[in-house]
């Protein structure tokens, strides 16, 4: 068997079902299992925040779908931003997204250990806790090393497994729904607008991941058609699970108990069926959910740096692919996430770790805002080959809604997160200065002709931004 045959055997493009599972799996991690208790103190008015956020997330999903039709390359927000505004803006999109992925992976692994401890008590041993957290990061990485064929299989299976118990509560809870459990419409002293905004600040980041199919567009079959569909279907599916799940928990767990609950889905299952087996069932579902999210986010963590490295805006080590996966990028990302995890457990700097996680909620929104700005640029610049004139007004309204949603995400990050996040971006400016200087050196190495031809055959490269202006 030739090397090319081996590569094609293990590297397989994602169809619409797998691409949709990637979006849904990355949006829904482990946070859903705590969301109902987090917003319960505001009353049932918090459900309105879900509706508002869902509209914004769907608008953002539609914008990503439209952008992917024009530029169906791996990299998503990086590609769109670079084509509209040039190398520097594109680098900032790639840099901020990369920070988001590896810090978020560390956070997901730490959270997953908490659920694993319910099934296998390990909290009394620091060594066992660290080993478990590292295993939860490296097992999805191994699936990525095996190739995109196996990444897609793991993502599809984990998505099905995670949604079975979630749907049990989301749909089954409606049959046990008791309006007396809902509590007041407004449960605190906030005004109606204040309560919605405060609820939204907690829920805002539940929709991070809508860009998943766009980032992996180069690995999606017929990306001009399927990226947009997968993004929209995945976002709507996640939104329905969020809304129905929260509503069912509200209706099955008394409000005075829910506001103090540390496991609302467990309480809901126990209320519906009696007994105390709900804790084990929910812990298992949460663990599967987060392992699936880690699988998808590990792939995404290497895709954006891969696209930037091909353009000379990231170190060339990130441009290496094997079996359809940028394996060098996966290794670098998992090593960084593992180092942060070990630091968190050994040094005990909980505040530092939580600050870094909070910063990712800001850094994740930078590519969103730049992508919507790119869409507005394409619409306003009169580029007939980039714009469907018959849909100009609709696309402009959607892009404006998505931009507003992105700004709301930034505002919801909080002053400290924005402050720290800007420092991370400024650090990236220094990295860009070095990489840009090396790229412009007259003696800079260029790829071999064979390598360049292979890259073109493997994946179309978008034209330079200057060619569009």
């Amino acid at each position: 068997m030739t090397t090319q045959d081996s590569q094609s055997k293990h590297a397989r493009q994602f169809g619409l079902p797998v691409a949709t599972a990637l979006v849904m799996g990355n949006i829904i991690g482990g946070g859903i299992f705590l969301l109902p208790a987090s917003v319960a103190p505001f009353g049932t008015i918090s459900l309105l925040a879900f509706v508002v956020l869902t509209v914004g997330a769907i608008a953002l999903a539609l914008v990503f779908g439209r952008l992917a039709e024009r530029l169906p390359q791996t990299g998503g927000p990086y590609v769109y931003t670079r084509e509209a505004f040039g190398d520097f803006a594109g680098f900032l999109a790639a840099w901020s997204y990369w920070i988001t992925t590896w810090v978020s992976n560390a956070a997901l692994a730490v959270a997953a250990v908490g659920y694993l401890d319910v099934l296998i008590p390990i909290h009394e041993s620091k060594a066992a806790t660290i080993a478990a957290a590292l295993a939860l990061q490296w097992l999805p990485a191994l699936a990525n090393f095996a190739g995109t064929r196996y990444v897609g299989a793991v993502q599809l299976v984990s998505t099905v497994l995670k949604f079975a118990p979630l749907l049990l509560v989301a749909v089954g809870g409606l049959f046990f729904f008791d309006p007396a459990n809902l509590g007041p419409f407004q449960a605190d002293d906030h005004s109606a607008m204040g309560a919605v905004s405060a609820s939204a600040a907690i829920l805002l980041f539940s929709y991070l991941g809508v860009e998943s199919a766009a980032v992996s567009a180069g690995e999606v079959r017929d990306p001009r058609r399927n990226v947009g569909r997968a993004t929209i279907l995945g976002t709507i599916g996640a939104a329905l699970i969020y809304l129905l799940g929260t509503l069912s928990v509200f209706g099955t767990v008394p409000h005075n108990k829910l506001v103090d609950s540390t496991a609302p889905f467990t309480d809901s299952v126990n209320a519906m069926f009696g007994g105390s087996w709900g804790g084990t069932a929910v812990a298992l579902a949460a663990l599967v959910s987060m392992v699936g999210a880690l699988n998808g986010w590990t792939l995404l963590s290497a895709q954006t740096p891969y696209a930037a490295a091909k353009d000379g805006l990231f170190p060339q080590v990130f441009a290496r692919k094997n079996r359809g996966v940028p394996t060098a990028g996966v290794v670098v990302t998992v090593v960084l996430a593992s180092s942060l995890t070990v630091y968190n457990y050994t040094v005990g700097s909980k505040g530092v770790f939580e600050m870094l996680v909070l910063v990712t909620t800001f850094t994740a929104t930078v590519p969103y805002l730049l992508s919507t700005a790119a869409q507005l640029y394409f619409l306003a610049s009169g580029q007939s080959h980039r714009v469907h004139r018959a849909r100009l007004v609709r696309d402009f309204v959607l892009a404006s809604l998505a931009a507003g949603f992105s700004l709301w995400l930034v505002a919801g990050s909080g002053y400290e997160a924005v402050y720290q996040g800007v420092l991370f971006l400024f650090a990236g400016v220094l990295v860009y200065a070095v990489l840009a200087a090396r790229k412009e050196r007259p003696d800079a190495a260029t790829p071999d002709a064979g390598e360049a031809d292979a890259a073109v055959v493997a994946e179309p490269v978008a034209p330079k931004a200057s060619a569009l202006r």
Side-chain angles (χ1 to χ4, degrees):
M1 181 182 291
T2 65
T3 301
Q4 185 175 0
D5 291 337
S6 177
Q7 293 283 352
S8 61
K9 176 183 177 181
H10 299 286
R12 183 169 297 177
Q13 288 189 308
F14 301 149
L16 180 60
V18 174
T20 302
L22 183 66
V23 175
M24 293 184 71
N26 285 354
I27 291 177
I28 299 180
I32 186 174
F33 295 96
L34 292 175
L35 279 180
S38 300
V39 298
F42 302 103
T44 53
I45 194 173
S46 59
L47 295 174
L48 294 179
F50 264 121
V51 175
V52 174
L53 288 172
T54 299
V55 171
I58 291 174
L60 186 60
L62 288 168
V63 168
F64 277 125
R66 295 290 295 115
L67 288 167
E69 287 181 23
R70 302 187 184 106
L71 300 164
Q73 289 91 34
T74 293
Y78 159 75
V79 174
Y80 316 144
T81 302
R82 180 172 177 267
E83 294 307 309
F85 308 121
D87 284 353
F88 181 60
F91 171 82
L92 288 181
W95 176 262
S96 57
Y97 193 78
W98 182 58
I99 291 172
T100 299
T101 54
W102 64 264
V103 177
S104 295
N105 276 7
L108 272 171
V110 171
V113 167
Y115 288 103
L116 178 63
D117 189 58
V118 175
L119 305 174
I120 307 173
I122 57 175
H123 63 277
E124 293 183 0
S125 171
K126 181 177 290 187
T129 302
I130 293 175
L134 294 179
L136 287 166
Q137 292 178 50
W138 281 95
L139 287 176
L142 291 177
N144 276 261
F145 295 150
T148 51
R149 175 181 181 179
Y150 302 99
V151 174
V154 171
Q155 198 65 31
L156 191 59
V157 171
S158 65
T159 299
V160 171
L161 290 177
K162 85 163 68 173
F163 285 125
L166 289 175
L167 285 173
L168 172 65
V169 175
V171 178
L174 299 179
F175 294 95
F176 296 87
F177 193 90
D178 183 356
N181 290 326
L182 291 176
F185 182 66
Q186 287 182 246
D188 62 4
D189 296 331
H190 283 93
S191 64
M193 183 61 68
V196 171
S197 297
S199 301
I202 296 173
L203 302 170
L204 277 173
F205 313 109
S206 302
Y207 285 101
L208 296 182
V210 296
E211 75 291 343
S212 300
V215 172
S216 297
E219 278 62 58
V220 177
R221 190 180 306 120
D222 190 7
R224 295 183 187 276
R225 180 183 182 87
N226 285 334
V227 167
R229 289 185 171 187
T231 302
I232 294 166
L233 290 173
T235 303
I236 292 175
L240 287 174
I241 292 292
Y242 279 153
L243 188 58
L244 286 177
T246 302
L247 180 63
S248 292
V249 173
F250 274 19
T252 53
V253 182
H255 181 264
N256 61 342
K257 181 179 180 181
L258 183 59
V259 294
D260 297 320
S261 175
T262 58
F265 274 73
T266 296
D267 294 336
S268 180
V269 171
N270 290 340
M272 285 189 282
F273 304 108
S276 58
W277 57 273
T280 300
V282 171
L284 182 60
L287 189 60
V288 170
S289 178
M290 283 186 279
V291 169
L294 279 165
N295 179 66
W297 279 107
T298 299
L299 176 64
L300 297 189
S301 69
Q303 295 287 25
T304 297
Y306 163 76
K310 289 197 307 174
D311 298 323
L313 299 180
F314 249 64
Q316 284 303 301
V317 67
F318 289 95
R320 300 173 184 172
K321 256 191 176 184
N322 186 33
R323 299 180 174 182
V325 175
T327 49
V330 170
V331 170
V332 173
T333 297
V334 176
V335 167
L336 286 171
S338 298
S339 300
L340 182 58
T341 302
V342 172
Y343 177 84
N344 173 65
Y345 281 120
T346 56
V347 179
S349 301
K350 183 178 179 181
V352 173
F353 187 78
E354 290 179 345
M355 181 274 293
L356 288 173
V357 172
L358 187 61
V359 166
T360 65
T361 60
F362 166 74
T363 58
T365 61
V366 173
Y368 291 177
L369 189 58
L370 289 173
S371 296
T372 55
Q375 172 73 332
L376 290 171
Y377 168 78
F378 292 140
L379 294 173
S381 60
Q383 299 178 32
S384 58
H385 64 294
R386 295 289 186 194
V387 177
H388 292 279
R389 294 190 178 278
R391 296 185 287 186
L392 182 62
V393 174
R394 187 193 71 180
D395 285 349
F396 191 85
V397 171
L398 286 173
S400 298
L401 285 173
F405 177 67
S406 301
L407 287 172
W408 195 12
L409 285 170
V410 172
S413 301
Y415 292 108
E416 183 179 359
V418 173
Y419 170 76
Q420 301 288 351
V422 169
L423 292 180
F424 271 85
L425 290 182
F426 282 177
V429 172
L430 301 178
V431 175
Y432 174 80
V434 174
L435 293 173
R438 293 181 60 183
K439 183 181 177 184
E440 295 299 324
R441 285 174 55 183
D443 60 341
T446 57
D448 294 338
E451 293 178 354
D453 292 342
V456 171
V457 171
E459 183 176 333
V461 179
K464 290 290 186 180
S466 58
L468 300 180
R469 291 200 282 268

